[in-house]
Amino acid sequence: SQQGEEDPQALSIQEGENATMNCSYKTSINNLQWYRQNSGRGLVHLILIRSNEREKHSGRLRVTLDTSKKSSSLLITASRAADTASYFCATDYGGNEKLTFGTGTRLTIIP
Amino acid sequence: KAGVTQTPRYLIKTRGQQVTLSCSPISGHRSVSWYQQTPGQGLQFLFEYFSETQRNKGNFPGRFSGRQFSNSRSEMNVSTLELGDSALYLCASMGMDRGHTEAFFGQGTRLTVV
């Protein structure tokens, strides 16, 4: 079974706007990661945030982590058509390379 | 360096048959994990191999098995295929040490069971 839920399930925004998606998980984690998947292809790693971190940035990506609420958010600023994809959060428990994925958010950027 | 390579990319099999999928990880990576992705169940962890040993296993029936060779290449096998086994099967390789949990995924094998 999956670790948690992501919301929204689907999101459509205009190019240039910011996109925010959320991930909730159920148990304590070691790391939380975000991945992107284009049209049923392989997943691409975007960013990793450790359980003792609260915020992390990478280019146009900003990730926050609230371990008290067991939730994370991914913000993509100044969206581009190429950002159209599905986004998944994934958690691990430390010392265990098994990743547990969320349900994913389907993001569509409208040119 | 070369990424993760999965073969074949597409496969059509008949119910009751068996299938073997292959994954070549990034050079130097010793951990290989397999995931099944379906519209209904999402991304589900199958198993993970490290240095030829299965280290983690998901909740799949015994029809799903795997192995890893000394060069870190991995195969997974599904016997007695069922219609519900139709899915995208993804392989991921990870770095050499524990704690490096960033996974590098292959393009997947799309299995269709008819």
Side-chain angles (χ1 to χ4, degrees):
Chain A
S1 62
Q2 282 160 311
Q3 163 72 296
E5 300 286 325
E6 289 178 61
D7 83 275
Q9 289 188 355
L11 177 63
S12 292
I13 60 172
Q14 296 288 331
E15 193 169 18
E17 294 182 337
N18 296 341
T20 299
M21 52 205 88
N22 304 295
C23 164
S24 61
Y25 55 91
K26 297 174 183 172
T27 62
S28 296
I29 62 171
N30 192 48
N31 303 301
L32 186 143
Q33 306 177 52
W34 286 88
Y35 288 82
R36 184 186 73 228
Q37 184 179 38
N38 291 88
S39 297
R41 299 172 69 87
L43 282 78
V44 174
H45 180 264
L46 296 175
I47 194 166
L48 179 152
I49 187 166
R50 302 192 187 283
S51 59
N52 61 355
E53 297 176 312
R54 291 297 167 258
E55 187 171 313
K56 203 160 183 182
H57 297 254
S58 177
R60 295 184 295 112
L61 305 179
R62 172 180 169 248
V63 170
T64 61
L65 179 65
D66 187 334
T67 53
S68 66
K69 295 181 179 178
K70 292 186 171 57
S71 67
S72 173
S73 67
L74 171 68
L75 168 68
I76 303 174
T77 60
S79 63
R80 305 168 181 168
D83 294 330
T84 294
S86 292
Y87 291 81
F88 295 89
C89 65
T91 54
D92 72 82
Y93 307 99
N96 183 338
E97 272 63 24
K98 169 185 172 181
L99 291 176
T100 303
F101 285 86
T103 50
T105 293
R106 174 74 189 159
L107 175 65
T108 302
I109 307 300
I110 304 165
Chain B
K1 55 186 168 182
V4 179
T5 304
Q6 288 188 248
T7 56
R9 290 291 311 279
Y10 302 92
L11 207 48
I12 300 175
K13 289 287 188 178
T14 304
R15 269 183 304 176
Q17 287 186 314
Q18 74 166 17
V19 66
T20 299
L21 312 181
S22 178
C23 172
S24 294
I26 290 172
S27 177
H29 285 190
R30 290 193 289 172
S31 170
V32 175
S33 297
W34 289 89
Y35 293 83
Q36 180 197 64
Q37 186 177 28
T38 60
Q41 297 297 315
L43 276 154
Q44 301 285 327
F45 173 79
L46 281 156
F47 27 66
E48 184 233 352
Y49 286 86
F50 181 87
S51 292
E52 302 179 65
T53 300
Q54 187 180 86
R55 197 162 60 172
N56 291 294
K57 189 177 188 305
N59 296 323
F60 278 81
R63 299 186 297 108
F64 292 81
S65 63
R67 59 178 175 169
Q68 186 180 34
F69 301 95
S70 58
N71 62 358
S72 292
R73 189 176 72 85
S74 177
E75 289 182 346
M76 68 162 280
N77 183 277
V78 187
S79 62
T80 318
L81 284 165
E82 301 176 359
L83 294 179
D85 297 333
S86 294
L88 180 66
Y89 289 88
L90 293 163
C91 161
S93 79
M94 294 183 183
M96 292 183 288
D97 303 318
R98 276 190 179 276
H100 285 73
T101 51
E102 175 186 343
F104 296 84
F105 283 83
Q107 292 298 298
T109 294
R110 172 75 62 185
L111 172 65
T112 302
V113 182
V114 297

